[in-house]
Amino acid sequence: MPRGRIEIIEEYCKGCQLCVKFCPKDCIEISTDKINPNGYLLPIFVSEDECTGCGICGWMCPECTIDVYRYIEN
Amino acid sequence: MPRGRIEIIEEYCKGCQLCVKFCPKDCIEISTDKINPNGYLLPIFVSEDECTGCGICGWMCPECTIDVYRYIEN
Amino acid sequence: MKDKSSDVKKVTGRPDLRLLSLGMYCPGCHYGIITRVICEVIEELGVAGKAIGLAGVGCSFGGAPMTIDIDWTSCPHGRAPAMATAIKRIYPDAMVLTVQGDGDLGAIGLGCFMNALVRGENLTTIFLNNAVYGTTGGQMAPTTLLGMKTTTTPLGRDIQTNGYPLHVPELAATMRGVAYAARCTVHTPANFQKAKKSLKTAIQKQIDGIGYGIVEFVSACPPGWGLKPLECLDYISERMLEEYPLGEFKNVDKTD
Amino acid sequence: MKDKSSDVKKVTGRPDLRLLSLGMYCPGCHYGIITRVICEVIEELGVAGKAIGLAGVGCSFGGAPMTIDIDWTSCPHGRAPAMATAIKRIYPDAMVLTVQGDGDLGAIGLGCFMNALVRGENLTTIFLNNAVYGTTGGQMAPTTLLGMKTTTTPLGRDIQTNGYPLHVPELAATMRGVAYAARCTVHTPANFQKAKKSLKTAIQKQIDGIGYGIVEFVSACPPGWGLKPLECLDYISERMLEEYPLGEFKNVDKTD
Amino acid sequence: MTERILVAGNNAVARGAIQAGCKYFFGYPITPQSEIPEYMSKELPKIGGIYVQSESESGSIYMVYGGGLTGKRIMTSTSSPGLSLMAEGLSYLAEQEIPAVIVDVVRMGPGIGTGGQGAQTDYLQVTKGCGHGGYHAIVLAPASGQEIFDLMQLAFYLADKYRGPVMVITDFILGQTEEPIELRTLDFGPLPEKEWALTGKEKRGGKRVTHVAAFFTYQGILNYQMKLIEKYAEIKRTEVRYEKYLADDCDLLIVAYGSSARIARGAVDMGRANGLKLGLFRPITLWPFPVEAIAEGASKAGRVLVVEDSQGQLVEDVEASVKGRVPVHLLGMWGRHNVGGGGIIHPERVIEEVEKLNEG
Amino acid sequence: MTERILVAGNNAVARGAIQAGCKYFFGYPITPQSEIPEYMSKELPKIGGIYVQSESESGSIYMVYGGGLTGKRIMTSTSSPGLSLMAEGLSYLAEQEIPAVIVDVVRMGPGIGTGGQGAQTDYLQVTKGCGHGGYHAIVLAPASGQEIFDLMQLAFYLADKYRGPVMVITDFILGQTEEPIELRTLDFGPLPEKEWALTGKEKRGGKRVTHVAAFFTYQGILNYQMKLIEKYAEIKRTEVRYEKYLADDCDLLIVAYGSSARIARGAVDMGRANGLKLGLFRPITLWPFPVEAIAEGASKAGRVLVVEDSQGQLVEDVEASVKGRVPVHLLGMWGRHNVGGGGIIHPERVIEEVEKLNEG
Amino acid sequence: MDYHELMIAGTGGRGVLLIGRLLAQAGIETYKYALFFPNYAPAMRGGESECTVMLSDSAIGSPVIFKPACAIAMTGSALTLMENRMRSGGSLIVDSSVISDRVAREDITAYYIPATEKAVYLGGTQAANMVLLGAYVEHTKAISLDLLEKALDNRLQGESKKPILELNKKALNEGAGLMANYES
Amino acid sequence: MDYHELMIAGTGGRGVLLIGRLLAQAGIETYKYALFFPNYAPAMRGGESECTVMLSDSAIGSPVIFKPACAIAMTGSALTLMENRMRSGGSLIVDSSVISDRVAREDITAYYIPATEKAVYLGGTQAANMVLLGAYVEHTKAISLDLLEKALDNRLQGESKKPILELNKKALNEGAGLMANYES
Ligand SMILES: Cc1ncc(C[n+]2csc(CCOP(=O)(O)OP(=O)(O)O)c2C)c(N)n1
Ligand SMILES: Cc1ncc(C[n+]2csc(CCOP(=O)(O)OP(=O)(O)O)c2C)c(N)n1
Ligand code: SF4
Ligand code: SF4
Ligand code: SF4
Ligand code: SF4
Ligand code: SF4
Ligand code: SF4
Ligand SMILES: [Mg+2]
Ligand SMILES: [Mg+2]
């Protein structure tokens, strides 16, 4: 059951892949064809089920362009 | 019996009295009236008998204006 | 996808202080991550309103003032500590922060920095060590590793011609006016958190009037190193940290 | 009076290298004694012909070039290490010596000096610490003691405004390119001899290509301190040496 | 009545600054101006101000830069080699439009020069661009203790009015000469708020202020330059200052500033007493330069003698103003009587030169 | 035949220096000149020379000072803010008469300016006294890759001949433009021995050499200044260099140096092709300035248009030369077409200006 | 007088400066004078980039021209720029794979070359610039393709560079071919 | 117009500048304008020293004069200097205790005051300058002795300064007395 999810504001992404590298659950992959207007290959959030909403990808994004949400049990 | 003696080249003396202070045998005194052309009160070698020719007054003279001689036993 | 907003908490995102700007940095430049560190620490300490930042000449020059929402000035190359001195003396309640590269602080600004330490200023300095002059195209910096190739050490830095890499926080730690000196990185999530703690401590020293705080960030410059962003991470672990060990070199509650 | 010249040996006098000049120094200034130290060491090492001296701006400026019979240049205030760098790089066989005051090296020239250490130059520096700017009329220097009154610290140097006294050889000792760092005085005959030994060691390091050597001389400035020459001697023993301990802080046969 | 005291020019600099509300001084010792920082180190703490001894003149100017950014009145003083070390900083102050007052108590140059020589060898440097980039600073050249005191106040006002560095230049003679001054407060009128000051954004309701290079406003870089050009044109139109002494009925116009103007004034008096119809034109602002007024005065007199204690620097501006319409002569530093360390052009020497010219 | 290669102006600087026998380079990175130290760091070690990366431009100039004292050929290069940091050092080089070559690849100022702007905003600084004390340096302003290469060689020669700093000034456009150059060696004739070089006294049979301030020779300080004045006068008499292009039958004389002169030359060609009788006067030495030649050319043409990519600096010298005899117009940096980061005055814009003038 | 001038405009990453420099390099084999002027903003990473190349047998006056006789546009904004600036009667070569706009001016001739598309087909987008350069030399005959290939040989030496060298050469020829068979 | 000018020359240690400054300080009580200009070489320790004092009721032009109307010479070389420079008809006051030379010029009047001798007698050589200053004011009546004494009071305050204050005052009066009874 998914515990979190992320949103990448693609406009500001520079395709550095740090998010890809640091997600402990391998939820992010780099695409091979999705390019933003600045010409950068974009990462894709591929594994919603695994995401724990740990926030790490957000911290490590140099462009601060990932929002991370965690689902709360109420 | 004197073992050494010194010569002060008075022209270059600045009357600082370091020689007076450091002679271990108190062989040098500052005069009260002997003034060189630059207006400095001059030191006087007063105690030939005590001088060991140790060289200390020479080292310590900021103007390098004391020559120290030692008598050699031959 | 669960979507009821009541169930969802935003854990992280662009910090409030982080301005929207088409980033000033190259892809994979750690300065962007450090910017987050700075924003979060200032927010957590609640000092954004009192903060005055001074950006050195270098990639920090454009980056910091354009991305962090506090008062800023850029500075002539290497001179931030002198400018910061005047600002802090005039406004002792301000939180005054310099952000300087290794060329800026370690070469042209070394005298300016050291003299601020001699005077015992009460400031915080973020020292960005990417081992090169990034902005001008990757020339040797004082922190360039031995053997490292740059555009002005085409055969690699050698001791004979260019001496040894400069260790800034260790040097600063020897100065009596310094309250805090540390080195950190943001090249892993764990280090990111440690870096936040370090910077927070350094700024707190200023707020408490204890003395100068300096935090070095060892950080990647992909084009300067001729490496891809991910390769840089290994270069940091394997090469940079060997020369530049992480840790606190000074942390005192009172200078003497 | 015994007088036959065969019986008499001149034990000391004006060293050969010491030029006859109506001294450039005030009465009781220790720089005159240090001049002897320099002359004797250069003579004993036999390097007068290879020696190139660089005098900082300050009382050393006039004094050294006018009183020691080697090649000399005066330098812009604080810049001797940069100039010396070029000379030594171009003439690696020369014995290159800078003579700099505490204002010259410790304030305006601190960056220049530190950067020469970063580059790992192979030079010798004589650092004259009289705790004031003697030449310009006794203003505060970075080495002024806490509480000491100068013309710009009329109530005495305080930490809040002016920070802590600067310890140059200790600082230099932390730099990897430095082979020798020591502090000495000439305020007693015993110390005069130790000072000679220190300077000789430092110059030998240069000759042997080992690395930078720096020797600090704590020395009296009677007008700057507002004391008579003999009073200065006590001031050194009682006050200066408390802040500035004598000794060798580094002495290595190989830098790393 | 305002107080009247006998003080040296260097002291008048410091007192004038304090009178103008300057509480922050950043400086470094150098002869012949060290009395200024010394006085400041003693007096500023008493009025809640701060004296910081910088590590060098570069340190001073960057502290002035930082200090100026806070919106407070800030100054430094130095002498020639020290001014050179401020070149980069001065250019930045001009670019970033930071008000500040910089005093140069000129010593003889080039190089180390000497602090004990009354010289005027920095004219080109202060008027034409010590730093890069073609900026200008208003340069005020007082010629007496009172004028030093007064122009220091004006300097702070102009710095605020035009947002930029203003320089006051004196020299060994003016700095050491003791004359009575009246401690009067000059009021030049109101000035705009300094909304641009860096204070931390909470003091401006959360609106931040940034000072970054014109370079970041790519579309605006030319606008920036045009604004600068217009500012300088405005200063040239409105801030030219000079003084004439017996200049309207003379047959030889002496042009001189600062200490040389005082000496020349002595010579004018001596000359008039002996039937020589001399007059004096004294630029008070060296930049902007009183081009028209000199041209007019020169035309009226028919010939000009520039007296300046240098290799010939002011004379270039005088020639450019006069445009070849009347002859311009120069008595430069070779007019000095070289006594002790302090060479000086005496009024008697000026008269001698006039007589030589008269003989033809 | 000598080799002919396509290189950028910055590269021509470095190659020209090496051709002149310069083996010692002291420098610091700054856009748009970093290619010079980069090339030197690669090439000098191969020929037994030395590249030292200084810690700053002040470091560079003091290293140049020390290096120059050894009698070897020495240089540094920088760009505008860096040049400001050399102000004190330059003044010392002049005072102590140390030969050295300093290259300024100008970037737009004041302040931080920008490295990506082809600008000529350092004219006043380099010609009028970046440093204190009224010294002068010969300033050479090449306008093509080949001329850069050639004038670098001349610069070293003049530095040795007159014992002092010589400056070569280019800019972003000239530094980046790639053109073919011939790697020819220029011979300017013999030079005196450098007996004044610091080498350690054993190399001079035990006779020591000292370089201390003029200040220590109290009786000689005025003699020192007179020698300096005479040296500058001599340079003004003999070293003025300029180039004229279609300047003898024109009805408008364009005066421009460096990259602007190239652009103006393009404009002259365009204009001539369209019936406009334009000519170009290009000062090669900015100091000494070709005062007489410009005055003559201006009189012949009847009017002058100065084209310079700055706020108006060269124009002051042109006006001072022309002395009001014919009108002098200026197309300054406002003539730029501001594309991307790199504003440029194009030849088409010059023609536009000429047409405006023609319309009156 | 044999004279050619070309401006190339695009963004930093697209190899604008590279083909300009290559053309000038090859050009000095044929012409007495050649000039290459890169105009870019070093401080803006990945910002707009343009360059000028001139080849001539008589001395070249200005290193910059406002209204070129010939231009290559590699991005949309470059097209706008060049269209505005070009001299009447000039030729504008456009990478039509990335630029969908058409040239509106009627006093210049546009050549739409699908450079990026062809480059991808040949082996990599980065060779789009070579396609355009090939088209340019074919169109103007300023220099021979051979010389360009030689210049490429010089620049890309060694085994490891071989694939990219081959790609570039193919792209050059492809561009020349496209231009030779161009029908508007 | 009431106007006085005085140059004082000697070496650093002899209090040349001190009496000049004192005279100017006292002078502003009487005159609308006063000026003191010390000319010395800061770099030469114990070098030659001279100063100029002017007192006037109208604005003072030059702060320096080459040919003073009145001068005090405290050393032999100062005497030579001043004798060469003085204006015709001027008065030159000489410390005859230390200067054995006589003034040769006939167009100036010399006053030989045994200042050092008198000072030693009164309690210390350092007061020789005051003896000369006393002689000067007595001779010129430029200002009253009272004002000088008041200026001294201001300068030398506190119990510890009392002996030296007394010495100086005595020396001033001694000098005035010597001049009053001067016979050449
Ligand atoms: C006085 C001066 N010299 C040189 C420069 C050129 N310059 C700009 S940034 C820089 C160095 C950048 O290196 P660093 O401080 O390490 O910052 P980084 O770009 O690596 O973050 C230099 C030398 C300048 N702007 N001013
Ligand atoms: C650029 C510059 N700034 C200031 C000075 C003035 N100055 C001459 S000597 C000196 C300092 C002397 O102090 P220090 O180095 O301690 O030498 P000391 O006289 O005490 O031996 C200063 C500031 C100068 N010559 N050049
Ligand atoms: S929040 Fe954590 S688990 Fe989710 S994508 Fe980011 S790094 Fe991966
Ligand atoms: S870390 Fe940020 S910039 Fe980098 S690829 Fe991921 S989202 Fe893009
Ligand atoms: S040589 Fe020794 S004993 Fe003799 S006078 Fe000198 S210090 Fe005294
Ligand atoms: S130490 Fe030398 S200078 Fe001092 S009093 Fe003795 S002889 Fe004279
Ligand atoms: S050049 Fe280096 S330091 Fe500068 S933005 Fe790019 S990666 Fe970061
Ligand atoms: S001022 Fe001080 S340091 Fe200088 S000569 Fe005099 S005593 Fe020595
Ligand atoms: Mg860096
Ligand atoms: Mg000192």
Side-chain angles (χ1 to χ4, degrees), chain F residues 291-314:
Chain F
V291 175
E292 284 81 23
I294 284 190
E296 192 198 308
S299 296
K300 224 188 257 177
R303 58 196 179 137
V304 170
L305 173 64
V306 174
V307 179
E308 62 172 324
D309 194 5
S310 84
Q311 309 92 343
Q313 302 185 27
L314 165 68

Side-chain angles (χ1 to χ4, degrees), chain D residues 86-143:
Chain D
I87 294 174
K88 182 75 183 181
R89 295 286 186 118
I90 293 171
Y91 292 134
D93 291 336
M95 193 287 280
V96 182
L97 186 73
T98 79
V99 183
Q100 306 179 254
D102 44 1
D104 192 77
L105 185 148
I108 193 170
L110 189 56
C112 185
F113 172 69
M114 291 298 294
N115 275 289
L117 303 190
V118 172
R119 285 192 308 273
E121 301 298 339
N122 188 25
L123 299 168
T124 311
T125 287
I126 293 174
F127 173 55
L128 304 173
N129 175 6
N130 60 4
V132 289
Y133 286 54
T135 315
T136 46
Q139 294 84 6
M140 181 188 71
T143 52

Side-chain angles (χ1 to χ4, degrees), chain D residues 11 13 40 55 73 85-86 100 104 113 123 147 170 202 210 244 253:
Chain D
V11 225
E40 291 189 0
T73 183
T85 292
Q100 306 179 254
D104 192 77
F113 172 69
L123 299 168
E170 287 93 327
I210 296 170
Y244 297 112
D253 289 335

Side-chain angles (χ1 to χ4, degrees), chain D:
Chain D
M1 203 202 269
K2 288 195 197 177
D3 229 334
K4 272 193 268 127
S5 68
S6 59
D7 297 332
V8 172
K9 193 180 122 207
K10 185 164 181 182
V11 225
T12 189
R14 190 180 296 275
D16 288 345
L17 286 178
R18 170 82 192 223
L19 295 164
L20 263 177
S21 68
L22 240 181
M24 311 294 293
Y25 305 119
C26 306
C29 177
H30 290 191
Y31 288 5
I33 310 176
I34 295 163
T35 302
R36 170 184 292 273
V37 171
I38 301 171
C39 290
E40 291 189 0
V41 167
I42 293 178
E43 285 173 14
E44 288 168 23
L45 290 170
V47 292
K50 298 183 192 314
I52 300 178
L54 296 102
V57 175
C59 291
S60 59
F61 175 117
M66 296 314 183
T67 51
I68 304 178
D69 184 24
I70 59 171
D71 276 10
W72 279 102
T73 183
S74 58
C75 306
H77 193 23
R79 316 305 179 164
M83 291 176 61
T85 292
I87 294 174
K88 182 75 183 181
R89 295 286 186 118
I90 293 171
Y91 292 134
D93 291 336
M95 193 287 280
V96 182
L97 186 73
T98 79
V99 183
Q100 306 179 254
D102 44 1
D104 192 77
L105 185 148
I108 193 170
L110 189 56
C112 185
F113 172 69
M114 291 298 294
N115 275 289
L117 303 190
V118 172
R119 285 192 308 273
E121 301 298 339
N122 188 25
L123 299 168
T124 311
T125 287
I126 293 174
F127 173 55
L128 304 173
N129 175 6
N130 60 4
V132 289
Y133 286 54
T135 315
T136 46
Q139 294 84 6
M140 181 188 71
T143 52
T144 297
L145 300 180
L146 292 175
M148 193 172 174
K149 284 184 187 168
T150 71
T151 53
T152 52
T153 53
L155 305 174
R157 176 177 185 167
D158 69 314
I159 300 171
Q160 218 48 38
T161 322
N162 298 306
Y164 295 96
L166 174 66
H167 291 234
V168 169
E170 287 93 327
L171 181 66
T174 69
M175 301 295 293
R176 288 161 79 184
V178 171
Y180 188 79
R183 178 179 295 113
C184 56
T185 70
V186 291
H187 84 302
T188 69
N191 280 295
F192 169 89
Q193 291 300 346
K194 281 192 208 153
K196 272 187 66 176
K197 204 166 142 249
S198 268
L199 182 59
K200 208 167 191 171
T201 313
I203 294 179
Q204 194 62 51
K205 300 282 176 199
Q206 181 187 158
I207 295 170
D208 297 343
I210 296 170
Y212 211 108
I214 163 143
V215 181
E216 171 174 327
F217 287 79
V218 172
S219 45
C221 175
W225 296 359
L227 297 175
K228 303 219 174 80
L230 296 187
E231 292 169 350
C232 287
L233 301 174
D234 295 336
Y235 193 85
I236 291 184
S237 318
E238 288 159 23
R239 300 286 317 275
M240 293 289 285
L241 296 191
E242 188 189 19
E243 178 69 41
Y244 297 112
L246 303 181
E248 286 183 356
F249 304 100
K250 192 169 191 182
N251 183 346
V252 297
D253 289 335
K254 197 178 160 319
T255 66
D256 61 342

Side-chain angles (χ1 to χ4, degrees), chain E residues 262-267 345-347, chain H residues 3 35 54 60-65:
Chain E
R262 283 296 292 279
I263 289 164
R265 190 181 161 122
I345 305 175
H346 291 91
Chain H
Y3 174 73
L35 187 148
M54 289 180 245
I60 296 171
S62 177
V64 298
I65 34 179

